[in-house]
């Protein structure tokens, strides 16, 4: 059974307390927070004070996805804000190995996100240093985009690399996850399913989380 991580980018920002309560009583173990800087991605979402406020209202694992340039400048700030998992983009880090060590030294789980065009081979040398690899299945920056189907093979390739190294790195899928493609993703090796619009756009978000959780 996958870990389900509802993405707050698709929640009603005027009612983040309600979104937290909903996730708290649901089967989701994580919640996913997308931080964007308008540089690494064309969009700006929310930052440290919002993560901090959500942290106080949730009992779940705070999975923070940094879509920002020079994420190493903010590692300590996100730790202080309450991130449990901190994911940086391979494309945004000149010294990815160092960044991962920095995140782990602060007591957080370290994740690497890969844009659709970045091959799994690009992080082969640091795979064992990562607690999680986030495969972007859309181009980062916006919620509600269409899943890029060719990413399914990438998930399989990543899973094979992780198994070959005997590691326990989790595979997270981010972008365009639906009730239709979730089973195939889990069968390909996904451990964590991020879902924004599929959860918060649903008539019954809590029931949708349960469906994702029990998809295979
Ligand atoms: C996109 C973000 C995603 C986004 C997913 O840049 O990283 O986490 O919230 O949204 P959906 O599930 O709606 O595609
Ligand atoms: Zn994300």
């Amino acid at each position: 059974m996958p870990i389900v991580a509802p993405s707050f980018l698709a929640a009603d920002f005027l009612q983040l307390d309600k979104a937290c309560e909903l996730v708290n009583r649901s089967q989701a173990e994580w919640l996913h927070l997308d931080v964007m800087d308008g540089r690494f991605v064309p969009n700006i979402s929310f930052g440290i004070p919002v993560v901090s406020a959500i942290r106080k209202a949730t009992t779940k694992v705070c999975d923070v996805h940094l879509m920002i340039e020079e994420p190493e400048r903010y590692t300590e700030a996100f730790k202080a804000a309450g991130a449990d998992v901190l994911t940086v983009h391979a494309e945004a880090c000149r010294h990815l190995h160092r960044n991962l060590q920095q995140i782990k030294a602060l007591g957080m789980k370290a994740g690497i996100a890969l844009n659709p065009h970045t091959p799994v081979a690009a992080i082969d040398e640091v795979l064992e240093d990562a607690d999680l690899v986030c495969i972007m299945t859309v181009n980062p920056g916006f919620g509600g985009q269409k899943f890029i189907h060719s990413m399914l093979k990438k998930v399989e390739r990543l899973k094979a690399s992780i198994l070959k190294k005997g590691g326990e790195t989790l595979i997270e899928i981010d972008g365009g996850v639906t009730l239709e493609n979730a089973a195939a993703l889990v069968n390909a090796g996904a451990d964590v399913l991020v879902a924004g619009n599929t959860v918060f756009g649903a008539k019954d978000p809590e029931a949708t989380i349960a469906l994702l959780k029990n998809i295979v």
Side-chain angles (χ1 to χ4, degrees):
M1 278 203 278
I3 291 170
V4 179
S7 172
F8 274 43
L9 193 62
D12 179 350
F13 285 4
L14 265 183
Q15 304 193 58
L16 289 176
D17 52 347
K18 299 254 160 41
C20 288
E21 285 160 22
L22 186 159
V23 174
N24 281 346
R25 60 172 187 260
S26 79
Q27 289 185 43
E29 289 99 335
W30 291 16
L31 52 84
H32 186 84
L33 301 175
D34 290 302
V35 176
M36 305 180 187
D37 66 353
R39 296 283 297 167
F40 180 72
V41 288
N43 196 9
I44 299 176
S45 56
F46 50 77
I48 295 154
V50 174
V51 172
S52 185
I54 291 172
R55 164 80 283 167
K56 293 190 185 87
T58 187
T59 54
K60 306 289 174 154
V61 170
C62 277
D63 172 35
V64 178
H65 177 193
L66 298 183
M67 283 160 274
I68 66 174
E69 297 285 358
E70 300 184 282
E72 67 278 4
R73 293 174 54 206
Y74 300 96
T75 313
E76 287 180 20
F78 280 103
K79 169 66 186 173
D84 299 300
V85 182
L86 194 64
T87 296
V88 295
H89 267 263
E91 305 84 3
C93 295
R94 196 166 284 178
H95 301 285
L96 182 56
H97 179 268
R98 179 187 289 151
N99 299 160
L100 296 173
Q101 306 309 324
Q102 189 191 28
I103 293 167
K104 291 193 290 185
L106 287 167
M108 295 177 283
K109 299 247 178 272
I112 307 172
L114 298 178
N115 280 340
H117 74 275
T118 305
V120 166
I123 55 162
D124 196 50
E125 306 301 333
V126 288
L127 200 49
E128 283 148 306
D129 298 288
D131 297 303
L132 172 145
V133 175
C134 172
I135 300 275
M136 292 306 304
T137 41
V138 298
N139 284 293
F142 303 93
Q145 301 181 82
K146 198 171 167 293
F147 179 81
I148 302 172
H149 202 75
S150 56
M151 293 297 109
L152 207 51
K153 285 264 176 281
K154 186 172 176 180
V155 177
E156 287 173 5
R157 277 195 293 280
L158 175 60
K159 185 68 183 177
S161 301
I162 292 169
L163 288 176
K164 206 165 118 199
K165 290 184 193 284
E168 288 176 1
T169 308
L170 296 175
I171 300 180
E172 178 176 69
I173 310 300
D174 191 6
V177 172
T178 63
L179 291 171
E180 287 69 42
N181 60 24
L185 287 161
V186 175
N187 289 331
D191 302 293
V192 184
L193 299 176
V194 174
N197 282 270
T198 291
V199 167
F200 289 105
K203 265 216 181 79
D204 187 342
E206 211 181 316
T208 306
I209 291 170
L211 288 173
L212 284 170
K213 180 73 193 165
N214 297 286
I215 202 90
V216 287

